[in-house]
Amino acid sequence: MLNCRHFLKSLPSFTAVGVRHGSLTALKEPDRPKMVTQTPGPRSKALIQQLDQIQTAGTVHFFADYDKSIGNYVADVDGNMMLDVFMQIASMPLGYNHPALIRAVLDKKSLSALVNRPALGNLPPHDFVQKLHSSLLSVAPAGMKQVQTMMCGSCSNENAFKAIFFWYMKKQRRGAPPTKEDFDSCMVNQGPGSPRLAMLSFHGAFHGRTMGVLSCTHSKAIHKLDVPAMDWPIAHFPRYRYPVEENVAYNKQQDQASLDEVRRLIREYNARGTRVAGVVVEPIQAEGGDNHGSAAFFRQLQAITKEEGAALLVDEVQTGCGATGRMWAHEHWGLPESPDVVTFSKKMITGGYFYRDELRPTEVYRVFNTWLGDPSKLLLLEAAINVIRDERLLDLVNASGATLQRGLHELTTRFPKVFSQARGQGTFCAIDAASTGMRDKLVGACKNRGLEIGACGDLSLRFRPALIYEEKHVKLTLDIIAEAAKSL
């Protein structure tokens, strides 16, 4: 059995204090990025070429050296060390090689969960209920006591859609069980067992790439090309002008136009026989370009779903786990009651969804697959949640986020021909470039200066740092972006 303290001390990036506390002081990060080659470097290019022989490798940025990556910094195989504000597409809560997570994996009690992956729906481990309470349910949105684990964001949304359809049809049957006709007709994809139901989504949304959720994804055409899609309603999402305090009237008009369209589409589809069972929405449309909605917009959206008898699904796959300064982005809205369903993945380490009691399926095997998640991910999540609480990382996110947002606004003043539309909540931030071509050049220039950054929508640079992103990292980030802008 590996000794946790010995293993951590053998890594140059850790100190003994990290073994005891897992605190930020334990992360021996470099002072700043260090670039010895362009990115991708020659070793990455060679590996990309090798990978491309056996699978499509066109999306690969570079090959990482995860043994050398630490905290907010990712190392590559060419010896470059980059400040990472994209964090594996927003999926790492505590950055790289956090000692608390390594300690959780090396704990002797974790070995069984790592080695014996169970079919959770049939044979859950003895401590599964306890682990759900100490991890997911310890941070459940207010009013939500039910949780279903899954593997990823797409399958979380996919199965949440199913749960909404089950709930809706149970209402239509007034609680009666399905009939023989229901069972027989569904086997040949016909009604009444296969009803004409829909989920309403928004232009610019991204909810995943599997078949059902792809019908609600509208961020990039390449995601959807050649794939059959459902004829489901799509409303326009608000598109704000920034700074918001200078565009109050315009942004309110955006809210109202979207809400009016939502209500109209629900009624139109219901009238023609395709009943809208639910509305799915992201707190911030991430992949679609970091499009925000106001708290008032989301409160009114919930009110419309209540009036029209539809469920409200809030997709927190990218916004969940603290990036906006609260555990869940919808906590900023002041809703009178919880959403009906909240999906999660990415920084939550495991996938799944929380849901209200009334959406619990009556029959068994309705939401099911072989694994239904992975208990080992709950071990990591429990450790991460403890660090978030003990280190008060949401306070750090709010402080660093305020500094980042101010800095992004200053960039729009310093480089008005390059940047506009600085916006954000917590460290979940973005800024627009003047054109897609300029944005792409900025991404490349930032990467070659040691900043691993992402893009979204047509124009935006997006920031998705870990929850351990400090103000010193913000300064480095802003300096590199300014240098990249000057180089254009």
Side-chain angles (χ1 to χ4, degrees), residues 19 34 52 58 70 101 123 141 192 281 338 374 393 401 411 417 475 488:
V19 179
K34 178 185 177 183
D52 200 51
I70 183 68
L101 300 193
L123 298 168
V281 68
S338 71
D374 185 341
L393 291 187
L411 287 175
K417 294 183 179 180
K475 184 180 186 306
L488 296 180

Side-chain angles (χ1 to χ4, degrees), residues 167-466:
W167 161 80
Y168 189 88
M169 291 309 297
K170 184 178 179 180
K171 287 197 304 175
Q172 299 303 304
R173 298 188 189 102
R174 301 178 185 274
T179 65
K180 183 178 185 302
E181 184 183 12
D182 292 328
F183 284 114
D184 291 345
S185 59
C186 77
M187 294 301 289
V188 290
N189 302 334
Q190 299 296 315
S194 294
R196 290 172 58 187
L197 300 179
M199 293 290 297
L200 183 145
S201 55
F202 292 88
H203 290 286
F206 183 89
H207 299 293
R209 301 172 189 262
T210 51
M211 281 292 292
V213 293
L214 198 56
S215 289
C216 292
T217 288
H218 316 288
S219 54
K220 289 185 176 69
I222 196 63
H223 298 153
K224 298 170 67 70
L225 183 67
D226 298 331
V227 180
M230 314 284 190
D231 178 17
W232 289 354
I234 315 165
H236 288 85
F237 195 76
R239 295 296 180 95
Y240 293 161
R241 293 175 181 168
Y242 295 87
V244 289
E245 59 272 14
E246 297 175 12
N247 294 280
V248 173
Y250 176 86
N251 293 344
K252 282 186 177 180
Q253 290 173 356
Q254 288 285 299
D255 281 355
Q256 193 58 53
S258 178
L259 293 165
D260 290 344
E261 187 178 21
V262 167
R263 183 180 281 106
R264 175 179 61 79
L265 285 170
I266 291 175
R267 292 177 178 178
E268 284 182 2
Y269 272 73
N270 287 347
R272 69 192 203 197
T274 300
R275 291 163 290 179
V276 178
V279 174
V280 58
V281 68
E282 299 159 273
I284 302 168
Q285 286 189 331
E287 182 74 18
D290 268 38
N291 306 310
H292 291 243
S294 67
F297 169 79
F298 287 110
R299 288 194 297 269
Q300 292 175 70
L301 181 64
Q302 184 184 51
I304 290 172
T305 62
K306 295 291 184 186
E307 292 168 11
E308 302 297 336
L312 178 62
L313 191 169
V314 179
D315 178 349
E316 293 245 28
V317 167
Q318 193 156 153
T319 53
C321 198
T324 67
R326 295 195 180 181
M327 195 66 192
W328 304 103
H330 74 264
E331 293 175 351
H332 292 281
W333 302 343
L335 297 177
E337 57 184 282
S338 71
D340 297 295
V341 186
V342 175
T343 53
F344 56 84
S345 190
K346 291 192 181 281
K347 280 186 173 65
M348 289 294 286
I349 302 176
T350 186
Y353 58 94
F354 298 103
Y355 58 102
R356 294 166 65 95
D357 292 351
E358 53 267 33
L359 273 84
R360 180 175 175 142
T362 303
E363 302 87 4
V364 299
Y365 284 103
R366 305 218 71 188
V367 174
F368 192 85
N369 58 50
T370 298
W371 285 323
L372 288 173
D374 185 341
S376 68
K377 302 304 181 187
L378 296 182
L379 300 174
L380 292 171
L381 177 59
E382 181 180 6
I385 289 170
N386 288 336
V387 172
I388 291 168
R389 287 174 173 153
D390 293 347
E391 300 290 333
R392 301 181 63 87
L393 291 187
L394 297 188
D395 291 343
L396 177 62
V397 168
N398 284 308
S400 298
T403 303
L404 178 59
Q405 290 174 47
R406 283 194 302 270
L408 294 176
H409 283 294
E410 289 171 5
L411 287 175
T412 65
T413 301
R414 291 176 60 192
F415 303 100
K417 294 183 179 180
V418 179
F419 296 118
S420 65
Q421 297 283 90
R423 57 205 183 275
Q425 196 167 47
T427 55
F428 199 109
C429 297
I431 191 169
D432 284 359
S435 68
T436 302
M438 182 178 288
R439 188 273 309 276
D440 294 345
K441 288 179 181 178
L442 283 165
V443 170
C446 286
K447 288 177 182 289
N448 286 323
R449 287 167 171 77
L451 184 69
E452 170 65 0
I453 192 169
C456 61
D458 295 327
L459 303 173
S460 301
L461 294 167
R462 60 172 155 172
F463 301 81
R464 301 292 186 269

Side-chain angles (χ1 to χ4, degrees), residues 68-249:
K68 294 179 181 176
S69 301
I70 183 68
N72 290 279
Y73 285 83
V74 60
D76 75 1
V77 294
D78 288 283
N80 299 307
M81 183 69 81
M82 289 164 272
L83 176 60
D84 190 349
V85 296
F86 198 34
M87 279 289 159
Q88 309 291 329
I89 320 178
S91 67
M92 300 193 73
L94 303 180
Y96 297 98
N97 286 314
H98 195 284
L101 300 193
I102 291 178
R103 187 168 61 250
V105 171
L106 293 179
D107 191 315
K108 184 178 180 180
K109 296 176 182 177
S110 302
L111 288 179
S112 178
L114 292 167
V115 173
N116 304 298
R117 186 175 183 181
L120 280 172
N122 293 141
L123 298 168
H126 71 281
D127 59 351
F128 186 55
V129 175
Q130 182 266 317
K131 288 299 180 186
L132 286 174
H133 279 285
S134 60
S135 58
L136 288 168
L137 290 171
S138 74
V139 293
M144 290 188 155
K145 300 176 183 177
Q146 303 287 318
V147 66
Q148 177 63 63
T149 51
M150 285 288 162
M151 285 304 302
C152 67
S154 291
C155 62
S156 299
N157 281 322
E158 194 84 37
N159 283 280
F161 283 14
K162 288 169 57 180
I164 287 171
F165 293 147
F166 301 156
W167 161 80
Y168 189 88
M169 291 309 297
K170 184 178 179 180
K171 287 197 304 175
Q172 299 303 304
R173 298 188 189 102
R174 301 178 185 274
T179 65
K180 183 178 185 302
E181 184 183 12
D182 292 328
F183 284 114
D184 291 345
S185 59
C186 77
M187 294 301 289
V188 290
N189 302 334
Q190 299 296 315
S194 294
R196 290 172 58 187
L197 300 179
M199 293 290 297
L200 183 145
S201 55
F202 292 88
H203 290 286
F206 183 89
H207 299 293
R209 301 172 189 262
T210 51
M211 281 292 292
V213 293
L214 198 56
S215 289
C216 292
T217 288
H218 316 288
S219 54
K220 289 185 176 69
I222 196 63
H223 298 153
K224 298 170 67 70
L225 183 67
D226 298 331
V227 180
M230 314 284 190
D231 178 17
W232 289 354
I234 315 165
H236 288 85
F237 195 76
R239 295 296 180 95
Y240 293 161
R241 293 175 181 168
Y242 295 87
V244 289
E245 59 272 14
E246 297 175 12
N247 294 280
V248 173

